[in-house]
Amino acid sequence: MKLFWKLFCSMVLITALACSAGGYALINTQFHASLDREVAALYEENDLLRFALAQELAFNPLYSREELAKAAGGITITTGRGAVSFRLSGETGKALGGSGVLPVEAAILTAQLPAGQRGWVMEALGDGRVYLHAASPLALEDGILYLENCREVSELFRARAEQYQSFFSLMLVLTGAVGALSLAVAAMLARPLARLSAAARRMAEGTDLSQRVRVDGDDEIAQLSADFNVMAHRIQRQVAELKAAQRRQEDFIGSFAHEIKTPLTSIIGYADLLRSRPAGVEQVQESAGYIFSEGRRLEALSRKLLDLIVLGRQDFSLRPVPLDVFLRRVAGAMEPPLRQAEIRLAVRAEPVSALMEPDLMETVCVNLLDNARKAMEGGGEILLEGFSEGDGCIVQVADQGKGIPEPELERVTEAFYMVDKSRARAQGGAGLGLALCRRIVELHGGTMEIESELGRGTCVRVHLKGGGAPCGTGKTGSSPS
């Protein structure tokens, strides 16, 4: 059974049972209270009759039972219902006299009430009438007389039957109203669950992971809706990351195949030229030069791929290194290619210690400086900086090159991704430098930020955690190369 129908049936059933029990208890309580009042009135009438008979005995204390019964015929007691009929009977139940006619037999006398006690019974006649029949004993010198009187209570039972009928009709109307209200309430409670179910089905189909549900209120269903939205957001983000990873993997494979194919084609072509036909010394040297340069390119490509694989499998210990000394050593290593390209390198470093693995971090700095060199045409200046910030250090490389388009900034750290592929290949690039840098920085627990503007240059900032304490091993300043 669906939750909607469970809620509906539960509300209707609980309301019907509660109202039925309450109504039944109320009607019966009222009936018994009225019946108790009738019994009290019955006893009151009996007491009045006993008092009248006692007065009669006071006038003539020598009355026998038969004489008192005959004299009782002249006694009249009147209440709001009119004259009260009574009967005097002997121990055997034989009627001796009285006033009026009692519609009931002296059945109560069979219980032989003890002297000084009284009692009553309820008797129903065949025509639907119901009477309360009371009797009390009168002790005389020659025996005991029983004073009997009765009171009709048929109206109480008719009133109770009418109340039951009215309550039954009212319960039908109330149940219908409660049923309609329960439908609305159950629909209102089940609607958020239906939305959740529909959204979950669409997400399960995989066609729309952007499904979210509205959160109304702060109850358990609202909390469930909020948790579903959080789950859906995380699933959508993870799926997007998986798709991006798959796309990068496909791009990696395609780029790797292309990067391998290009130098191999050149090597095979020039080797076949040398093998298949005679050639002069100049042509041989030219072909050998092409084969050598393409071979070196394959060697560099395989070395960087190996570095990426090795970095993904190893942990490296970090140690404090004087930042200014480290950066001047990197600048010295990059001096020849920068001088050849007519590029001036300025170094500004604070004498602080940085927490790093120096060989790996030197690879980062060399790749960043080499990318800056390739981005600058016609000379210029590159700034290499190192300084402390907060509880860590920053290494920064800024150039005055061509810059990177903003849409490309998020992808330049992907393996084999190149903004200008033809120019990068002409300069011996393979699109692995920044990917290698990013991986090394992640191993250091740091981050790498890239800011760039077309036509004005690029700034790459590497944040390293730890270090920052003065080491006193160098001097702050600028060292051009």
Side-chain angles (χ1 to χ4, degrees):
M1 182 182 292
K2 291 187 176 181
L3 178 62
F4 173 83
W5 293 112
K6 288 181 180 179
L7 289 173
F8 170 75
C9 294
S10 298
M11 286 187 284
V12 172
L13 184 60
I14 291 173
T15 303
L17 289 177
C19 292
S20 298
Y24 177 80
L26 180 62
I27 292 174
N28 276 277
T29 300
Q30 183 180 2
F31 170 79
H32 286 292
S34 299
L35 185 62
D36 291 341
R37 287 194 296 270
E38 293 293 331
V39 171
L42 179 69
Y43 278 148
E44 185 178 352
E45 292 174 355
N46 192 277
D47 290 339
L48 290 174
L49 291 170
R50 285 174 64 88
F51 178 77
L53 289 175
Q55 289 295 103
E56 186 67 26
L57 284 172
F59 292 133
N60 193 348
L62 299 178
Y63 273 157
S64 63
R65 293 190 305 167
E66 288 77 7
E67 292 172 338
L68 179 61
K70 291 179 181 179
I75 298 176
T76 303
I77 299 296
T78 304
T79 63
R81 290 190 176 186
V84 178
S85 299
F86 67 93
R87 179 173 61 203
L88 289 173
S89 303
E91 295 90 337
T92 61
K94 179 181 178 181
L96 301 178
S99 175
V101 179
L102 294 183
V104 295
E105 299 296 332
I108 193 172
L109 301 179
T110 58
Q112 295 296 315
L113 295 175
Q117 294 189 13
R118 61 183 177 181
W120 67 274
V121 294
M122 184 183 299
E123 298 186 26
L125 302 184
D127 56 0
R129 289 179 297 166
V130 180
Y131 289 89
L132 296 179
H133 180 198
S136 61
L138 293 173
L140 300 177
E141 292 182 358
D142 58 345
I144 297 177
L145 283 180
Y146 287 93
L147 174 62
E148 302 176 59
N149 66 307
C150 63
R151 190 177 181 89
E152 186 176 0
V153 291
S154 304
E155 188 61 30
L156 288 181
F157 288 89
R158 283 195 295 269
R160 186 176 67 170
E162 291 175 357
Q163 288 175 345
Y164 279 143
Q165 184 63 35
S166 299
F167 180 72
F168 179 75
S169 301
L170 179 62
M171 278 299 302
L172 289 179
V173 176
L174 180 62
T175 303
V178 170
L181 182 61
S182 299
L183 280 174
V185 173
M188 182 181 66
L189 293 177
R191 189 177 299 114
L193 297 178
R195 289 198 298 263
L196 274 173
S197 179
R201 283 196 302 269
R202 286 192 290 269
M203 288 192 66
E205 292 171 357
T207 57
D208 187 6
L209 298 179
S210 63
Q211 291 295 316
R212 302 293 185 273
V213 294
R214 191 176 66 212
V215 179
D216 298 324
D218 57 354
D219 56 7
E220 289 80 358
I221 296 179
Q223 184 61 45
L224 177 61
S225 301
D227 293 341
F228 174 85
N229 289 340
V230 173
M231 179 195 69
H233 173 73
R234 291 179 179 174
I235 290 177
Q236 185 180 17
R237 184 179 62 186
Q238 291 173 359
V239 169
E241 292 174 354
L242 289 174
K243 289 182 178 179
Q246 182 182 9
R247 175 178 54 80
R248 289 194 298 269
Q249 184 178 15
E250 292 174 352
D251 292 345
F252 180 92
I253 294 174
S255 300
F256 178 74
H258 188 273
E259 293 297 328
I260 292 293
K261 179 180 178 181
T262 302
L264 284 178
T265 300
S266 300
I267 291 173
I268 293 172
Y270 282 107
D272 183 64
L273 179 64
L274 293 176
R275 180 181 64 84
S276 61
R277 66 184 66 179
V281 176
E282 182 178 351
Q283 186 177 4
V284 170
Q285 290 181 346
E286 180 181 2
S287 299
Y290 279 116
I291 293 173
F292 177 78
S293 63
E294 294 300 319
R296 291 295 299 272
R297 183 179 172 189
L298 280 176
E299 180 187 23
L301 179 62
S302 62
R303 184 172 62 251
K304 290 189 177 182
L305 283 174
L306 181 61
D307 288 341
L308 282 175
I309 295 172
V310 171
L311 287 174
R313 295 180 180 176
Q314 294 187 9
D315 295 326
F316 300 91
S317 59
L318 307 181
R319 58 188 175 89
V321 176
L323 188 59
D324 53 344
V325 175
F326 170 76
L327 292 183
R328 281 199 296 271
R329 185 175 74 245
V330 172
M334 288 298 298
E335 181 180 356
L338 292 177
R339 181 183 299 160
Q340 184 178 2
E342 299 181 352
I343 295 175
R344 180 175 177 269
L345 176 62
V347 181
R348 297 176 186 171
E350 295 181 357
V352 295
S353 64
L355 198 61
M356 65 173 75
E357 204 293 318
D359 293 333
L360 291 178
M361 192 52 60
E362 183 174 349
T363 300
V364 172
C365 294
V366 169
N367 274 282
L368 295 180
L369 290 173
D370 190 52
N371 285 343
R373 175 186 66 83
K374 294 174 182 178
M376 299 174 64
E377 297 178 354
E381 182 180 87
I382 297 176
L383 177 61
L384 176 61
E385 292 184 283
F387 52 89
S388 62
E389 183 179 77
D391 59 349
C393 295
I394 291 181
V395 176
Q396 181 173 288
V397 177
D399 63 58
Q400 301 171 344
K402 298 175 63 176
I404 303 172
E406 185 175 355
E408 311 286 340
L409 285 176
E410 295 183 358
R411 300 196 61 190
V412 292
T413 56
E414 297 178 11
F416 290 115
Y417 188 82
M418 293 174 282
V419 177
D420 188 346
K421 294 180 174 57
S422 59
R423 185 171 64 87
R425 290 194 182 98
Q427 294 175 338
L432 290 172
L434 286 178
L436 184 61
C437 292
R438 178 179 61 82
R439 182 59 184 146
I440 292 175
V441 172
E442 289 175 351
L443 288 175
H444 281 74
T447 58
M448 187 171 68
E449 299 177 359
I450 303 176
E451 298 178 358
S452 185
E453 186 176 350
L454 282 177
R456 303 194 61 178
T458 301
C459 177
V460 181
R461 188 175 296 107
V462 175
H463 297 261
L464 297 176
K465 295 182 179 180
C471 58
T473 58
K475 298 180 180 180
T476 302
S478 175
S479 173
S481 60

